[in-house]
Amino acid sequence: MPDMQPAPQFTLEERARLGDDEALRRYFDARNISNLRWLSILMILTAAGITIWTLAAREWWRITPALIAFLAAFLTNRALPGEKRRRPRLELIAKLRRLIVGRTRTWTIVFLPLFHLFILTALFDLQGSLAITFLYAYLIVAIRLQPVESLVVYGTMAALLIAEGTIAGRNMVTGSDPVLPSTINVGIAFAINLWVARKSRRGFISEWRGGRGSAREQLRMREELDFARDVQLSMLPRQPPSHDWLEIASLSLPATEVGGDYYDFFDLGEGKLAVVIGDVAGHGLASGMVLSGIRSCLTLLCDELVQPAAVMEKLDRMLRQTTAHRMFMTLSILLLDRSGPAILSSAGHPPLFLERDGKVEMIETHALPLGTRLATQIDQKTFQIRSGDLLILQTDGVYETVSAWGESYGFDRFADAIMASPKKTTIHQRRDALLRDLWMFRGDAIQRDDVTLVLIRIR
């Protein structure tokens, strides 16, 4: 009879590191639990039918073994784990489940012969015993056992059958005696069980060994991606710079192992602070390498950030000359000056949001992203800042967030969320309020792009 459920799900680490014997044991145990589930139901029906028959015949001495067989099959069925089965409420069944899960094959080679023994004792009828033995001998073919374990199960069945035939006064030497062909049938079922188990064992080991190399390679790649993610996250500032005239809160949430968002702060001294935020098109290691190059260049050009547009042009040339394939990156540089106006330069990046006096406006400059290899003019815009202003820089992962019903978050909703967020709170609480509104909008939909927010409040 075919298996009722697929093979157990192994984790990537288990596929890469488990030995053949351990993996095969867990595979057989999972198969046996699955097959014992439907086999125990048949055993319950068999024991229940024999119990009813003994009650109707009023042969009271047969009721006890019939009830024991029924109870054993019922408890086994209830203790077997399953995807839709909850944790057992009864402690007895919970303990039995732990026993079966921990020693599945041991339980199988004990439970099956004992059930058969009690059923034959309850029947004590040679014809009925032959029928039951014939039926279960072939049903047990679906149970995956080692050769010695299979021999124990089938050998016990044959011994019980011969013992009952002997008690009934049958002579197996005579050709008319039904015990001999029934015993031969048990032997045939035993041979089939060995053949099926061997075939299943070979098929699993072949597939397991074939997938082990792939699993190890995937595990190696995942470890490299995790390392790349750690390197990228290490490029982001651990905490914003401390200025008595600024409150800053920032956060970046990658959508994949290695994201494409970047932000940083550069303290230029004399009350000046440059805030940089960017987004490389795509994700993965290539994006991480571009971000690493941009960060290195910004570190070298730190003293020139007082002219954001000029730095943008140099970064654009760097991308065009060092990337063989077209790698686009949007970037904004915001220069804040305690004693003067703020300067914003942007290359294809989303606008800066300014909240002032209960209103929200967007400030942006128009230019193509860096690295496009197309002629573009990178400008910068100057605007005044004053106490109480809230400046918000973000990547396109914010307004391009899509809900479960396919609607985009958009600039207007983001502006509404800024207006609705509590004003008399810390800058970190305002950031969290914006993120909370974004997550509530997204609902159960997956995060498709990196989300980065930088909030700056002028004291």
Side-chain angles (χ1 to χ4, degrees), residues 240-256:
S242 177
H243 288 268
D244 58 2
W245 61 286
L246 296 175
E247 292 180 85
I248 303 175
S250 56
L251 185 68
S252 184
L253 302 173
T256 57

Side-chain angles (χ1 to χ4, degrees), residues 57-92:
R58 297 186 178 183
E59 297 182 354
W60 311 113
W61 64 274
R62 300 186 181 184
I63 295 177
T64 300
L67 286 175
I68 292 175
F70 173 82
L71 186 61
F74 177 79
L75 290 177
T76 298
N77 179 268
R78 298 310 304 166
L80 290 170
E83 293 181 0
K84 298 181 179 180
R85 293 196 172 188
R86 300 178 180 178
R87 182 179 178 181
R89 295 182 180 180
L90 295 177
E91 184 62 25
L92 174 62

Side-chain angles (χ1 to χ4, degrees), residues 85-113:
R85 293 196 172 188
R86 300 178 180 178
R87 182 179 178 181
R89 295 182 180 180
L90 295 177
E91 184 62 25
L92 174 62
I93 296 180
K95 290 182 178 180
L96 187 58
R97 174 172 293 186
R98 290 192 292 269
L99 176 63
I100 293 176
V101 173
R103 299 176 177 85
T104 303
R105 288 188 297 179
T106 302
W107 175 261
T108 301
I109 61 176
V110 171
F111 166 67
L112 293 178

Side-chain angles (χ1 to χ4, degrees), residues 32-47:
N32 290 340
I33 288 175
S34 172
N35 293 329
L36 277 174
R37 198 173 295 125
W38 56 261
L39 185 58
S40 62
I41 294 175
L42 294 178
M43 291 177 169
I44 291 172
L45 296 176
T46 302

Side-chain angles (χ1 to χ4, degrees), residues 228-250:
R229 178 187 176 92
D230 292 340
V231 170
Q232 183 197 3
L233 292 177
S234 68
M235 292 192 297
L236 302 179
R238 295 184 179 180
Q239 58 184 13
S242 177
H243 288 268
D244 58 2
W245 61 286
L246 296 175
E247 292 180 85
I248 303 175
S250 56

